[in-house]
Amino acid sequence: MRARHPELPMNYSADAPAVWDAGLADADDCLLSSDQCVVRAEHYFVKGLVEVPVLGTDDVFSWGVWVSLSRANFARAAELWDQPGREAEEPYFGWLTTELMVYPQTTLNLKTLVHTRPVGERPYVELEPTDHPLAVEQRTGITVDRVREIAAGMLHPHDDHV
C-alpha cells in the first residue's frame, strides 16, 4: 500500500484570474463566480485544475487555476456546463491566467488545453509540454518533499523555501 499524507495540503486554488480587480465586481459587463469569469465582456475565463502526481503515493496535488478562453470556446463551455456527456467535447485552447508565486518563472500566459470533465467536476488543465517547472512537474510528478516546499512557499510567500 502506498503512503498517504493527509496532513499536507494537496490543493491550492486561486479565487480569480490575475486580471480580476475587486472594483469590477459591480460592473454590468463583468462576472466572477466560482467557475467562470468575464471581464468587460471581452475576456473570458474558466477555472480548472493543473494536476500533478505525487511520486511514491496514490495522491495527486492540484492547483486550482484560471484559464482564458476565446469568446466562442467560453460560450460553448457555458452552453454545455450542465449537460451530461460534456466530457466528450474536444479540449479548448487557453492561456493560464493564474500567477503561482512558488515558481521562479511566471506562470502567466503558459499555453494550455482545457479538458472538460463530467458535470460537477472541474476541467483538467493540461500545460503545453515546455521546460517551465510547472509543466515539467505536471509531466513527471513531484515528491512529497516538493509538496512540503510548496506548502511552505504558500504559507510563507516571502521566505525563500521554494
Side-chain angles (χ1 to χ4, degrees):
M1 182 162 176
R2 295 176 149 217
R4 290 191 56 85
H5 297 276
E7 73 281 359
L8 276 176
M10 296 303 284
N11 177 280
Y12 293 95
S13 190
D15 293 331
V19 298
W20 181 260
D21 178 276
L24 299 172
D26 294 327
D28 290 340
D29 58 355
C30 296
L31 160 84
L32 177 63
S33 74
S34 59
D35 300 302
Q36 300 173 340
C37 180
V38 177
V39 175
R40 300 287 180 216
E42 291 180 19
H43 305 283
Y44 303 88
F45 309 89
V46 293
K47 192 168 188 179
L49 297 174
V50 172
E51 296 178 342
V52 181
V54 181
L55 302 171
T57 77
D58 293 326
D59 293 329
V60 173
F61 179 87
S62 63
W63 292 107
V65 298
W66 291 88
V67 177
S68 68
L69 298 180
S70 69
R71 178 189 304 245
N73 284 344
F74 181 84
R76 178 74 178 154
E79 177 185 325
L80 297 174
W81 203 257
D82 295 317
Q83 292 291 322
R86 69 181 193 170
E87 62 275 14
E89 187 75 356
E90 289 293 315
Y92 304 119
F93 174 80
W95 299 96
L96 192 67
T97 54
T98 299
E99 181 70 83
L100 302 174
M101 302 302 286
V102 299
Y103 293 95
Q105 300 164 277
T106 184
T107 55
L108 292 175
N109 297 318
L110 292 177
K111 291 180 182 179
T112 70
L113 288 176
V114 178
H115 298 266
T116 306
R117 290 180 168 164
V119 173
E121 294 183 35
R122 287 211 188 279
Y124 171 71
V125 178
E126 176 187 5
L127 295 168
E128 179 183 44
T130 65
D131 63 354
H132 189 284
L134 177 58
V136 171
E137 287 180 348
Q138 186 178 45
R139 284 194 313 276
T140 64
I142 58 176
T143 64
V144 172
D145 284 343
R146 175 65 178 141
V147 175
R148 284 190 192 97
E149 284 179 13
I150 291 169
M154 294 301 289
L155 295 170
H156 309 288
H158 301 294
D159 297 347
D160 289 329
H161 292 291
V162 186

